[in-house]
Amino acid sequence: MKVLRIGLGQVRPALGDVSRNLNLHLEWVEEAEKQEIQLLVFPELGLTGYYLKDLTLEVARPLDHPDILRMVDASRKVDLVFSFIEESGDHRFYVAAVYASKGQVVHVHRKLYLPTYGMFEESRHFAKGKEMHSFASGLGAQMGMAICEDAWHPSVPYLLSIAGVDVVIIPAAGPGRALSGDPNTGSQQFWHRLIRTYAQLFTSYFVFVNRVGFEDGVFFFGHSAVAGPDGELVASTDSMDAQLLAVEIDLDLLRKERYRSPFLRDEDPHLTLRELERILGR
Amino acid sequence: MAINHLEDVLLYLDQSISHALPVLVAFLREETEKAGFKDVVFGLSGGIDSAVVAYLAAEAFGKDRVHPLIMPYKTSSPASLEDAQKVVSALGLEGKVVDITPQIDAYFANQEEATPLRRGNKMARERMTIIYDHSVIYRALPLGTSNKTELLLGYGTQHGDLASAINPIGDLYKTQIRKVASQLGVPQSILTKPPSADLWESQTDEGELGFTYDEADVILHLLVDDRFSPEEVVQAGFREDLVRTITKRMMQNQYKRRLPLIAKVSSRTIGIDFRYPRDWGM
């Protein structure tokens, strides 16, 4: 069995306090090293907090900022995914997730879909990412990242799947709302259904890491979870409290599931492309 | 049709919050402690809303950090005082009684003509100044006890009972408060008596409003949460005059739910484009 040990870093960030969050992240990295975790994933905007509004300008960091370099440097023993407001050279502000390994940046994903409706106002402050890539990780698995709302657009996991992906990492800041009669919140049920369905359709692992804590009265529901290529939940923190959960995934299961359910083999991206062009009138 | 619809929606409202308690308790604890407070203070009237807040606070903070103030006026119903005492003793709290009769009577001494509305508003504001004064004495954060129905209808006194630092029950309709109250074990006499602001003798909310909370909650839920138009609510079987009254109240009282308007002259104006989270710096 080819096992990958992933840490779900379900932290409670402090809004707008980057140095406090950085220290929190670094403490958890140490803990993850002790637990022999190979890849530790933190939630969306774990270094900054979520409801930033005009704080955006104060918390944004370029990739070469000392705070970011410290996080990258902390990836010497354990691969890290962490998220913050990335300021580009031309001063656009992106919701970004960095994959760092062996003290180097391996990949930066900039959030593609910025929710701006109801309780969300991301487009007011942030620039949209334009690309999605899968990338080799050195852990024996091809990785892809999608930040929170990105995952609500099936084109994102679809394109990652076509690009070639074994593990899709979804750092999230999912607020709890639409409570239902179920002990699990409505939002949590949506997410777990979503990652299980994607995992099965794209015969890949989906790693959902959601933050916890309150900001301006809104709670983030945690319940970080991993779904496997058979569509089953591998693990869930089952909690809205801060928690570091180590989860082992079996990469050999990808092989078996892709043989049993060869959706990836049979998927025809050229058909998709042709039809997209026709539908879009090109 | 109307009756069935009413009952269906009431049932839904009940079910939807059947697992809300942990969120409400965590909200109190996190938002209070983030603000640098350990203790909380609020007015305990003997009614169901403040009783629910007392139970939630006791759960969140333990009895020693919860400071209810019982603030009767000479015409307040003795049953209210008794019910407030029941809550205090059931939870083992130290409830402080502050009689507001002297200051209210002094103010209105030569104003025989003062209407019940003016007197009621004055009492509500007097109580709130006492709560804020005790927030200094106890180093405690003032908790709100207004529910979603009252907030939407504007059925409360601005800078009086509507004031607070944080409010754990402001997203719960009155009928949902009843559900939460029974889950928390609020004394039966409080659960079953007709809701009253108790500002004058034999006042009841429903008598004063001219409709029942069941009706108001269902209509508000359809308008606010389900985004029905007033016409659609009428089509669903509710009285047109009632729907019109409730819609109008909700609109007319929007000002009570917002900060005062500020004349904009600069490039960054509070409330308009000076936009920071409330939790800024916490």
Side-chain angles (χ1 to χ4, degrees), chain A residues 223-244:
Chain A
H223 283 84
S224 304
V226 179
D230 52 0
E232 297 299 324
L233 273 192
V234 179
S236 163
T237 62
D238 262 334
S239 150
M240 54 177 252
D241 278 328
Q243 189 183 345
L244 171 57

Side-chain angles (χ1 to χ4, degrees), chain B residues 2 16 36 38 48 76 101 116 160-161 178 184 189 199 201 244 265:
Chain B
S16 68
K38 289 198 171 74
I48 193 165
S76 297
T101 308
D161 53 301
R178 288 187 197 131
L184 287 165
S189 58
L199 294 172
E201 262 179 276
R244 202 180 313 122
V265 290

Side-chain angles (χ1 to χ4, degrees), chain B residues 108-183:
Chain B
F108 287 112
N110 295 312
Q111 306 186 63
E112 304 279 297
E113 76 288 1
T115 59
L117 176 70
R118 281 182 56 204
R119 290 172 190 274
N121 280 339
K122 175 71 180 156
M123 287 178 220
R125 293 189 181 115
E126 185 60 36
R127 291 186 175 113
M128 194 48 67
T129 67
I130 293 169
I131 292 172
Y132 271 82
D133 182 45
H134 281 74
S135 87
V136 180
I137 299 173
Y138 297 133
R139 286 200 43 74
L141 196 69
L143 300 183
T145 56
S146 297
N147 61 57
K148 190 171 186 174
T149 312
E150 291 172 329
L151 291 171
L152 287 171
L153 294 175
Y155 189 60
T157 301
Q158 199 181 21
H159 312 304
D161 53 301
L162 292 181
S164 71
I166 64 169
N167 179 350
I169 61 167
D171 206 16
L172 298 178
Y173 291 107
K174 187 74 174 189
T175 51
Q176 294 177 310
I177 297 278
R178 288 187 197 131
K179 167 83 176 182
V180 169
S182 69
Q183 285 178 327

Side-chain angles (χ1 to χ4, degrees), chain B residues 47-48 51-52 55 87 180-191:
Chain B
I48 193 165
V52 163
Y55 274 76
V87 171
V180 169
S182 69
Q183 285 178 327
L184 287 165
V186 168
Q188 201 59 31
S189 58
I190 298 175
L191 282 174

Side-chain angles (χ1 to χ4, degrees), chain A residues 252-270:
Chain A
D252 284 339
L253 189 63
L254 293 167
R255 177 172 181 264
K256 289 168 202 149
E257 283 301 323
R258 285 181 189 178
Y259 185 75
R260 189 166 74 106
S261 308
F263 310 137
L264 180 62
R265 181 197 69 193
D266 297 345
E267 178 58 35
D268 182 357
H270 300 288

